[in-house]
Amino acid sequence: MSNLSVAKFGGTSVANYSAMQACARIVIADPNTRVVVLSASAGVTNLLVALAKGCEVDERTKLLNEVRQIQENILNELKDASVVRHKVEAILAHIESLSEAASLATSLALTDELICQGEMMSTQIFVEVLRELNTQATWLDVRNIVATNSHFGKAAPNDELTQQNSDNHLKPLIARGELIITQGFIGRDPQGKTTTLGRGGSDYSAALLAEVLNAKDVLIWTDVAGIYTTDPRIATNAQRIDTMSFAEAAEMATFGAKVLHPSTLLPAVRSNIPVYVGSSKAPQEGGTWVTRDPQPRPTFRAIALRRDQTLLTLTSLNMLHAQGFLANVFTILAKHKISVDTITTSEISIALTLDKTGSASSGAELLSPELLDELSQVASVKVDGDLSLVALVGNDLHTKAGVAKHIFNTLEHYNVRMISYGASTNNVCMLVENEQADNVVRTLHKSLFE
């Protein structure tokens, strides 16, 4: 298995027929690629999430028709869509049934079952696209491989059981020389119910499969030719990074760079599997390799941006010289499954930025009335929105003289709401107003990279 590659193609890479053909040619051109993980076609998952929230008949019909049209546009370009059309129609009927159920009563389990159907359709169609290019492939339901817990919306894999499933069902197929097409983002819990790994979890799926197969690398094919020093749409002079470390990439992904899903790197780091990021639209342009110890490792590597952050400030005189106050606050947050990004403290207050991840999460659901009520019993609570987190990613940032001066001299004309510096060797985080975020990124990028 040591020469085996696991390739993953994102939603824009399988958005339409020509995009799928381009992906198929990449797969065919690399004999080492034996497992292919696909996202749903671009736009489909968002429509399914809307259906999962429950809606009236007219809105439901509109959303269902939009899902159907995305798939029809691809099917209509196939030379012979008769076989796969039957399979897609069955999935669309299942989606309609699930969406009707969601209109009566929503649940996290129902949501996961519904929103995974996009991957089911894209993978079935992709097998047919490969067949048209004279390449036989085997469709595999990834739920038979990836075992998870029952935390719907953001399930955690059961590594031991996933390994057993791979040994029993996946490895024999590969040993016979078959090319496997399967889904990203989804798994199955002990009760047999569909779970999802969170939005963007297809990267995680690819890395999990690479680990259980002892693959030589994970190839993430997306719509950009690698990882850049920042988002090229914000800073036009952003430069592609040829190689970077797992730690740097994890920081970038965690703080908003959409090229990689944060959890992707966990299996890769564990098993020291290099991760490649390239463009499915222009594979010849090269990309970025993420490895354990790349050289050189500059002080400043990149800038990441995460918009629409929530700042939660808790103030209480009981904090003064008290023991256990922070533990109490974090117990409440953990109870409500809230992930904390950055934190600063003073004698009588703490400020937290909150992470909103998971399949169907939104800012409205992040701070529930129940959570705010519990927190207000231990402190006064202030919630601020319209903020963005700018993360400067690099190496040994807390040990290099002059780093703070360089950063804050550059940003002297901007209001920085909160700073997190020193907890990590790989990042400095700054909270700024949403409307200033792009200019902050451009100003930092010009000073540090141009």
Side-chain angles (χ1 to χ4, degrees):
M1 302 280 179
S2 59
N3 289 323
L4 179 143
S5 296
V6 175
K8 175 261 176 177
F9 294 93
T12 55
S13 296
V14 292
N16 52 51
Y17 178 74
S18 61
M20 279 198 173
Q21 275 202 322
C23 296
R25 291 192 175 98
I26 289 172
V27 172
I28 293 167
D30 181 8
N32 289 326
T33 296
R34 306 313 302 160
V35 177
V36 178
V37 175
L38 298 188
S39 298
S41 296
V44 171
T45 301
N46 288 336
L47 294 168
L48 296 177
V49 168
L51 286 168
K53 291 178 179 177
C55 43
E56 297 299 323
V57 175
D58 290 348
E59 177 66 11
R60 190 164 74 243
T61 301
K62 174 177 171 289
L63 293 169
L64 286 166
N65 286 338
E66 289 182 45
V67 173
R68 180 182 297 275
Q69 193 59 55
I70 292 172
Q71 308 304 331
E72 277 291 329
N73 290 342
I74 305 174
L75 292 171
N76 289 338
E77 293 199 56
L78 289 168
K79 294 184 181 71
D80 179 9
S82 57
V83 174
V84 71
R85 186 184 295 276
H86 177 72
K87 295 174 181 176
V88 171
E89 286 292 344
I91 296 170
L92 287 168
H94 188 43
I95 291 172
E96 184 171 3
S97 175
L98 291 168
S99 63
E100 288 175 4
S103 70
L104 299 174
T106 60
S107 74
L108 293 175
L110 176 60
T111 295
D112 277 4
E113 177 65 29
L114 180 47
I115 64 179
C116 85
Q117 300 304 319
E119 281 75 11
M120 293 297 164
M121 291 187 288
S122 65
T123 47
Q124 292 282 9
I125 295 171
F126 192 68
V127 170
E128 184 61 29
V129 172
L130 282 164
R131 195 190 65 76
E132 285 191 352
L133 295 172
N134 300 313
T135 300
Q136 294 300 316
T138 300
W139 185 88
L140 176 71
D141 189 335
V142 80
R143 292 173 294 189
N144 294 330
I145 308 300
V146 177
T148 74
N149 63 9
S150 300
H151 185 178
F152 299 104
K154 197 178 180 185
N158 179 326
D159 296 325
E160 184 177 344
L161 190 51
T162 300
Q163 182 70 62
Q164 289 177 19
N165 292 339
S166 172
D167 293 344
N168 294 333
H169 304 295
L170 183 54
K171 285 183 179 179
L173 294 174
I174 294 171
R176 294 203 299 264
E178 296 188 34
L179 171 62
I180 307 300
I181 310 301
T182 194
Q183 307 79 35
F185 172 59
I186 61 180
R188 180 175 284 147
D189 78 352
Q191 287 71 47
K193 293 184 177 179
T194 299
T195 58
T196 63
L197 306 178
R199 293 298 294 272
S202 292
D203 294 345
Y204 194 6
S205 300
L208 282 170
L209 294 177
E211 183 176 45
V212 296
L213 292 169
N214 190 28
K216 73 179 179 72
D217 50 34
V218 180
L219 311 175
I220 305 291
W221 295 102
T222 180
D223 55 357
V224 292
I227 302 173
Y228 284 72
T229 46
T230 196
D231 188 337
R233 292 169 296 185
I234 298 175
T236 54
N237 290 327
Q239 305 144 27
R240 189 178 70 216
I241 303 165
D242 291 329
T243 182
M244 65 192 309
S245 70
F246 287 128
E248 292 168 327
E251 295 284 358
M252 286 192 67
T254 299
F255 290 108
K258 293 183 170 61
V259 178
L260 285 175
H261 186 268
S263 301
T264 299
L265 302 177
L266 295 177
V269 171
R270 275 195 310 242
S271 299
N272 193 23
I273 301 172
V275 177
Y276 177 80
V277 180
S279 169
S280 62
K281 295 179 174 66
Q284 73 283 355
E285 290 184 8
T288 301
W289 280 101
V290 184
T291 61
R292 178 168 287 176
D293 188 24
Q295 298 298 330
R297 301 182 75 160
T299 300
F300 301 116
R301 179 69 90 181
I303 302 166
L305 172 65
R306 188 195 283 165
R307 303 182 193 275
D308 300 321
Q309 295 297 284
T310 300
L311 178 65
L312 188 65
T313 306
L314 307 174
T315 304
S316 172
L317 291 174
N318 293 333
M319 272 187 69
L320 196 62
H321 307 306
Q323 296 176 342
F325 182 84
L326 282 176
N328 192 12
V329 168
F330 276 91
T331 298
I332 295 171
L333 293 172
K335 174 184 172 183
H336 291 269
K337 296 182 169 58
I338 297 294
S339 171
V340 174
D341 264 352
T342 59
I343 176 171
T344 60
T345 68
S346 71
E347 289 87 349
I348 60 168
S349 66
I350 59 173
L352 313 161
T353 64
L354 304 182
D355 181 22
K356 39 186 175 182
T357 56
S359 298
S361 65
S362 70
E365 298 163 357
L366 186 67
L367 294 172
S368 66
E370 294 80 12
L371 168 63
L372 293 175
D373 182 58
E374 281 197 59
L375 290 173
S376 65
Q377 292 176 29
V378 298
S380 67
V381 180
K382 183 172 184 287
V383 180
D384 291 306
D386 295 323
L387 297 165
S388 292
L389 196 66
V390 177
L392 179 57
V393 177
N395 293 282
D396 300 322
L397 292 170
H398 67 321
T399 64
K400 302 285 179 67
V403 166
K405 179 182 178 182
H406 194 158
I407 295 170
F408 297 116
N409 280 353
T410 302
L411 299 180
E412 61 178 327
H413 300 299
Y414 297 97
N415 175 36
V416 179
R417 177 70 179 80
M418 176 175 155
I419 301 160
S420 179
Y421 179 32
S424 167
T425 65
N426 291 109
N427 77 59
V428 178
C429 291
M430 295 152 282
L431 201 63
V432 300
E433 295 173 8
N434 271 343
E435 62 184 25
Q436 293 187 327
D438 284 8
N439 284 333
V440 167
V441 170
R442 279 192 283 266
T443 301
L444 273 173
H445 193 273
K446 185 173 182 180
S447 173
L448 300 177
F449 299 103
E450 300 174 36

